[in-house]
Amino acid sequence: MITNKRYQTLLMLATTGKPLNKEATEQEKKFYEKCKHDYKVMQETAKKHGIKNPILEIPMEVDF
């Protein structure tokens, strides 16, 4: 299971184009690749619709 904090880190790596570390699990690798793809699609779609600064994010967990 990937924690929300780790999801945030993987998303940051994917959207900035930084490589994934060698110790990443298979689940983390899949998520990282999916994020890279989703970010690319989001950028292309935003450009078509005239959106200048699109943001791909995962909301932080809320503790009650």
Side-chain angles (χ1 to χ4, degrees):
M1 182 175 144
I2 302 175
T3 64
N4 194 299
K5 186 174 182 178
R6 184 65 178 152
Y7 275 121
Q8 294 283 345
T9 302
L10 294 170
L11 179 61
M12 184 270 311
L13 291 173
T15 58
T16 58
K18 295 185 179 181
L20 187 60
N21 62 7
K22 295 176 184 176
E23 297 84 32
T25 66
E26 195 62 35
Q27 186 180 16
E28 290 174 338
K29 290 176 186 176
K30 287 179 183 178
F31 179 77
Y32 174 79
E33 291 301 323
K34 182 164 177 29
C35 279
K36 282 184 13 180
H37 175 264
D38 290 349
Y39 187 71
K40 181 181 175 186
V41 170
M42 180 196 66
Q43 293 286 9
E44 292 169 357
T45 303
K47 187 175 180 179
K48 288 179 188 176
H49 293 285
I51 300 170
K52 294 183 180 183
N53 296 315
I55 299 172
L56 183 63
E57 64 181 27
I58 298 170
M60 296 296 290
E61 292 177 341
V62 177
D63 295 327
F64 292 99

